[in-house]
């Protein structure tokens, strides 16, 4: 079953075609890497899938809902983690869980037990009442991710989730992603780290608003005769005519 | 509803956690009102007076005593010669010199009139005008008392009565002004800063992706500041009644209603600023420059609207604080009720609707 399906999804800003006729599917539980250089149109495409931006033409279904007509249902069934760290610094870990649980309509009776469960998973129990601002960045990002999947969404969108974090923390972060995927949560992630692209089940590479390649990392490497995803990426990104912003 | 509450609770936590800002928000109105009520005052008390009495008769001494007895004046020196006047002012020893000409009483008895010369230090023109008036009234009071009834001159003697604020207290003017300024500051500035902060830190994006409707995000932001403003309204009124002796002469419900409308208007302005300003600093500057200064200068808080040039009077119509301050003055000081402030209420409500509409429109376009 596909959790994300797009059909000629397009976004224009005036004469500028930011996203050009995207066609792809993401299956349930899949970890999908959405790669591309800066300015390739990744963020715009992701904003449309999250219901933040209306497509100029084409359609997409996310978690079974049309992004144009059923925006509210889409929003309820997805999780989102932004590129900037974006929890509330002056609230404690538990308060952040409670807030976002409340926003996503998790029944208030269930919030405490789910919070404990999440903290257990993160090995964070001792930090339950710590203010978020005093946590190290790597921990904050793991926390952001846990909050994004707290309401058990069908799909979670991660916009460069591991920016500015050391390799060990990144590795740990990906362990969390695998865990979520094992529980049937689809993960849709953008990243600039090509080693992370290797971790994805499938990856797409966007160039100038179009998807130039989409396959498993192994087959992408094979098709381009490359040793690593990094090489595949460089091969394709070189063709870009659009200037990065 | 549950969503809204969990969100409003979070906003309240933000405010409560930031102790310094909260202290500032709650303490500032009190500080301002006390400052304006006591320090910045156009009242004249204990003006230093020097007497140059060339008459030395019963009448001149009596007026001198009356002056000294008044709480507005204090006789500090007696001069012998007109040449001493100038150096006295230069050294700042006195602000007013009263000169009685030779033969003061005789001329008063003979002609029914006599002249007193008042020489004032008008470095501060407002104060000088006020204490000249006081001094004149002391002299006229004496003249009236001692007029031989037979010789009553034909003439018009104005009997002045000052309504609503008989003691010409400055606080009567400043309490409404401070209320008008403070609400704008708390609501407009704080609301805009807190919305812009969410945009700066990136949390706004997360909220927009969530199923919370933007209107609820906004309402939840406004709710705590609305509460805080009500607390401020209460403290300012308490301080002005019990510390500054400015009573609420008119209908309290009318005062509260007009204040609520004004608070909503200030919140809407805050929202509007947040759609324009990109950073917290910008939000602060915009609310400070674009809203505070006009309020202080053009709303009638410092300078009466009636004495402004026509163009400025016209501009001041567009300043919400002007209408609010007028309404508060009507209710608090003139002791009027709902009917008297109906016009102001209507204008303020209209402005609120307008600002909300523009802000929401801007807010939506910013999302895309």
């Amino acid at each position: 079953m596909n959790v994300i399906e797009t059909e000629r999804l397009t976004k224009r800003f005036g004469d500028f075609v930011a996203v050009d006729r995207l066609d792809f599917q993401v299956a349930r539980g899949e970890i999908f890497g959405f790669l591309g250089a800066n300015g390739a149109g990744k963020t715009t495409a992701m904003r449309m899938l999250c219901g933040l931006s209306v497509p100029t033409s084409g359609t997409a279904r996310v978690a079974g809902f049309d992004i144009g007509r059923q925006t509210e249902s889409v929003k309820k069934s997805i999780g989102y983690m932004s590129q900037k760290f974006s929890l509330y610094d002056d609230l404690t870990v538990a308060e952040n869980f409670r807030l976002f649980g409340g926003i996503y309509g998790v029944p208030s009776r269930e919030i405490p037990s789910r919070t404990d469960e999440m903290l257990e998973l993160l090995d964070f129990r001792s930090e339950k009442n710590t203010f978020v601002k005093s946590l190290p960045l790597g921990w904050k990002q793991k926390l952001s991710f846990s909050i994004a999947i707290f309401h058990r969404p069908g799909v979670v969108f991660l916009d460069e989730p591991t920016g500015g974090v050391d390799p060990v923390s990144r590795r740990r972060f990906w362990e969390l992603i695998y865990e979520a995927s094992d529980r049937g949560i689809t993960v849709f992630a953008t990243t600039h780290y090509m080693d992370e692209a290797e971790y994805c089940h499938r990856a797409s590479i966007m160039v100038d608003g179009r998807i130039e390649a989409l396959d498993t990392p192994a087959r992408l490497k094979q098709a381009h005769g490359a040793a690593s995803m990094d090489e595949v990426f460089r091969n394709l990104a070189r063709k870009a005519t659009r200037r990065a912003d | 509803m549950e969503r809204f509450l969990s969100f409003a609770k979070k906003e309240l936590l933000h405010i409560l956690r930031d102790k310094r800002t909260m202290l500032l928000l709650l303490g500032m109105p009190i500080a301002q009102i006390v400052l304006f009520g006591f320090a910045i005052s156009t009242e004249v008390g204990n003006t230093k007076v020097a007497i140059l009495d060339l008459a030395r008769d019963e009448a001149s001494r009596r007026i001198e005593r009356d002056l000294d007895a008044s709480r507005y004046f204090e006789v500090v020196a007696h001069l012998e010669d007109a040449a001493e006047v100038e150096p006295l002012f230069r050294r700042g020893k006195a602000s007013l010199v009263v000169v009685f000409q030779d033969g003061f009483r005789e001329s008063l008895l003979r002609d029914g009139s006599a002249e007193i010369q008042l020489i004032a230090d008008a470095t501060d023109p407002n104060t000088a005008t006020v204490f000249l008036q006081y001094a004149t009234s002391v002299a006229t009071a004496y003249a009236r008392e001692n007029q031989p009834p037979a010789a009553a001159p034909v003439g018009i003697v104005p009997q002045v009565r000052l309504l609503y604020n008989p003691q010409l207290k400055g606080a009567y003017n400043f309490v409404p002004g401070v209320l008008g300024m403070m609400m704008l500051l708390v609501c407009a500035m704080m609301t805009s800063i807190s919305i812009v902060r969410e945009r700066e830190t990136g949390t706004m994006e997360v909220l927009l992706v969530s199923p919370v409707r933007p209107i609820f995000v906004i309402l939840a932001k406004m709710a705590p500041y609305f509460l805080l403003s009500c607390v401020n309204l209460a403290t300012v009124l308490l301080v002005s009644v019990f510390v500054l002796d400015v009573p609420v002469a008119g209908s309290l419900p009318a005062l509260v209603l007009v204040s609520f409308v004004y608070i909503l208007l200030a919140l809407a302005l805050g929202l509007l600023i947040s759609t324009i300003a990109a950073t917290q600093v910008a939000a602060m500057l915009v609310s400070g420059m674009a809203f505070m200064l006009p309020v202080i200068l053009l709303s009638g808080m410092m300078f009466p609207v009636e004495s402004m040039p026509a163009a400025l009077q016209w501009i001041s119509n567009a300043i919400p604080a002007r209408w609010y301050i007028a309404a508060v003055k009507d209710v608090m000081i003139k002791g009027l009720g709902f009917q008297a402030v109906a016009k102001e209420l209507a204008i303020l409500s209209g402005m609120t609707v307008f600002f909300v509409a523009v802000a929401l429109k801007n807010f939506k376009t910013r999302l895309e």
Side-chain angles (χ1 to χ4, degrees):
Chain A
M1 190 197 111
N2 290 328
V3 175
I4 303 174
E5 290 174 335
T6 71
E7 209 173 292
R8 303 176 70 77
L9 188 67
T10 303
K11 181 79 184 185
R12 275 194 209 93
F13 297 105
D15 290 337
F16 178 73
V17 188
V19 172
D20 193 6
R21 289 164 289 167
L22 294 195
D23 277 301
F24 66 91
Q25 291 82 37
V26 180
R28 182 167 184 271
E30 191 172 15
I31 300 174
F32 189 86
F34 199 56
L35 317 178
N38 287 336
K42 290 182 314 239
T43 306
T44 311
M46 191 135 126
R47 284 174 67 85
M48 283 192 282
L49 293 177
C50 293
L52 279 182
S53 169
V54 182
T56 315
S57 64
T59 57
R61 294 177 78 79
V62 171
F65 301 107
D66 186 287
I67 56 163
R69 277 166 302 173
Q70 298 164 295
T71 318
E72 288 308 301
S73 306
V74 168
K75 284 182 169 184
K76 275 181 203 159
S77 29
I78 64 171
Y80 176 77
M81 177 178 165
S82 92
Q83 158 174 58
K84 267 194 208 167
F85 167 73
S86 46
L87 296 180
Y88 292 97
D89 263 347
D90 54 348
L91 300 183
T92 65
V93 171
E95 282 165 348
N96 269 292
F97 273 113
R98 172 157 287 281
L99 171 66
F100 284 98
I103 287 176
Y104 278 95
V106 177
S108 40
R109 281 170 284 107
E110 277 185 42
I111 291 178
S113 60
R114 278 209 212 178
T115 301
D116 289 338
E117 194 184 309
M118 278 292 180
L119 292 177
E120 188 84 29
L121 192 73
L122 295 173
D123 206 11
F124 254 25
R125 262 157 310 160
S126 53
E127 308 296 335
K128 187 173 174 179
N129 294 314
T130 309
F131 284 110
V132 166
K133 62 176 158 232
S134 51
L135 294 176
L137 184 61
W139 292 37
K140 284 184 185 175
Q141 273 164 336
K142 288 203 279 182
L143 189 64
S144 286
F145 180 72
S146 312
I147 282 173
I149 59 168
F150 189 67
H151 59 291
R152 297 175 184 160
V155 50
V156 60
F157 290 88
L158 311 177
D159 193 3
E160 291 173 30
T162 53
V165 177
D166 63 82
V168 179
S169 300
R170 284 206 279 132
R171 181 66 234 181
R172 291 223 187 93
F173 189 86
W174 275 86
E175 281 164 13
L176 281 180
I177 292 181
Y178 276 116
E179 202 145 1
S181 148
D182 285 344
R183 277 185 289 154
I185 296 178
T186 306
V187 178
F188 185 95
T190 70
T191 180
H192 281 303
Y193 297 107
M194 287 307 134
D195 57 327
E196 291 186 350
E198 313 261 1
Y199 301 152
C200 298
H201 295 145
R202 281 195 306 153
S204 71
I205 296 174
M206 258 185 109
V207 179
D208 289 351
R210 311 209 51 173
I211 288 184
E212 282 296 318
L214 195 172
D215 215 326
T216 62
R219 268 187 254 151
L220 282 174
K221 281 185 276 190
Q222 200 180 15
H224 288 263
S228 67
M229 278 301 284
D230 194 44
E231 222 179 304
V232 177
F233 185 78
R234 277 168 208 274
N235 257 331
L236 288 167
R238 204 180 296 135
K239 296 186 211 153
T241 52
R242 200 186 273 176
R243 208 156 43 89
D245 48 17
Chain B
M1 197 58 206
E2 204 168 316
R3 273 183 201 155
F4 176 74
L5 280 183
S6 58
F7 209 82
K9 199 178 136 203
K10 162 225 157 209
E11 291 301 330
L12 202 61
L13 277 179
H14 283 321
I15 299 173
L16 293 178
R17 294 263 158 88
D18 192 352
K19 294 237 159 46
R20 232 172 291 163
T21 309
M22 196 179 61
L23 208 67
L24 195 75
L25 289 181
L26 291 175
M28 190 183 56
I30 300 176
Q32 269 188 357
I33 203 121
V34 170
L35 206 74
F36 279 122
F38 287 116
I40 307 174
S41 154
T42 47
E43 286 168 52
V44 179
N46 291 326
T47 305
K48 289 182 186 132
V49 182
I51 307 284
L52 175 54
D53 190 352
L54 302 172
R56 292 173 201 278
D57 53 30
E58 195 191 316
S60 69
R61 271 192 295 267
R62 173 66 202 281
I63 291 178
E64 182 195 323
R65 228 173 347 178
D66 285 351
L67 278 174
D68 204 20
S70 139
R71 72 180 188 86
Y72 303 112
F73 297 105
E74 187 190 353
V75 176
V76 290
H78 288 87
L79 308 179
E80 300 295 330
D81 196 320
E84 290 174 58
V85 173
E86 183 89 36
L88 195 76
F89 279 131
R90 289 242 175 97
R91 278 179 287 131
K93 292 288 181 197
S95 310
L96 177 69
V97 173
V98 181
V99 185
F100 297 96
Q101 296 301 337
D102 195 10
F104 179 68
R105 184 160 180 269
E106 281 96 81
S107 120
L108 194 66
L109 289 177
R110 196 179 54 233
D111 310 332
S113 75
E115 281 176 359
I116 300 179
Q117 192 182 14
L118 300 174
I119 309 171
D121 172 1
T123 321
D124 179 349
N126 288 333
T127 329
T129 320
V130 175
F131 66 60
L132 278 177
Q133 258 167 20
Y134 288 160
T136 315
S137 72
V138 170
T140 13
Y142 171 82
R144 218 176 295 136
E145 260 171 52
N146 294 281
Q147 229 157 42
V154 183
I156 298 164
V157 181
Q159 301 262 340
V160 182
R161 263 181 74 213
L162 296 166
L163 292 181
Y164 311 124
N165 183 4
Q167 294 138 293
L168 286 174
K169 274 203 203 164
Y172 277 69
N173 197 24
F174 283 117
V175 168
V178 168
L179 273 173
M181 198 168 76
M182 182 198 71
M183 306 275 192
L184 260 194
L185 196 71
V186 172
C187 299
M189 192 181 268
M190 296 311 294
T191 313
S192 61
I193 288 178
S194 96
I195 294 178
V196 173
R197 180 169 51 215
E198 297 237 10
R199 206 180 293 130
E200 266 191 311
T201 56
T203 45
M204 189 53 95
E205 200 184 333
V206 174
L207 294 178
L208 292 175
V209 178
S210 83
V212 185
R213 286 168 184 277
I215 185 76
F216 283 124
V217 175
I218 292 164
L219 285 178
K221 283 215 166 290
M222 290 178 167
Y225 290 111
F226 186 83
L227 258 172
L228 205 68
S229 300
C230 293
V231 173
N232 278 339
L233 177 67
T235 39
V236 169
L237 289 182
L238 287 175
V239 169
S240 61
V241 171
F242 292 108
V243 181
L244 298 176
D245 289 326
V246 180
V248 180
S251 146
L252 187 64
L255 182 63
V256 171
L257 179 71
V258 88
S259 300
F260 277 0
V261 173
Y262 186 67
I263 293 173
L264 288 178
L265 183 139
L267 289 170
L269 273 177
L271 179 61
L272 188 63
I273 299 171
S274 79
T275 63
I276 302 166
T279 62
Q280 293 179 59
V281 180
M284 212 155 82
L285 282 177
V286 171
S287 26
M289 301 306 274
F291 294 116
M292 296 302 294
L293 279 180
V295 170
I296 294 172
L297 298 177
L298 295 177
S299 68
M301 175 188 178
M302 292 275 184
F303 316 108
V305 175
E306 292 75 20
S307 59
M308 290 174 194
L312 288 183
Q313 282 194 35
W314 192 75
I315 295 174
S316 90
N317 281 332
I319 292 172
R322 177 205 163 157
W323 303 104
Y324 177 67
I325 292 174
V328 173
K329 278 183 182 167
D330 280 353
V331 177
M332 273 188 88
I333 292 154
K334 288 196 194 161
L336 304 176
F338 279 101
Q339 277 171 332
V341 295
K343 180 182 158 206
E344 281 85 2
L345 259 179
I347 292 174
L348 289 174
S349 311
M351 285 178 164
T352 310
V353 172
F354 173 75
F355 286 133
V356 169
V358 176
L360 285 182
K361 193 172 165 288
N362 271 359
F363 198 81
K364 287 223 176 84
T365 25
R366 276 295 286 252
L367 299 188
E368 264 293 300

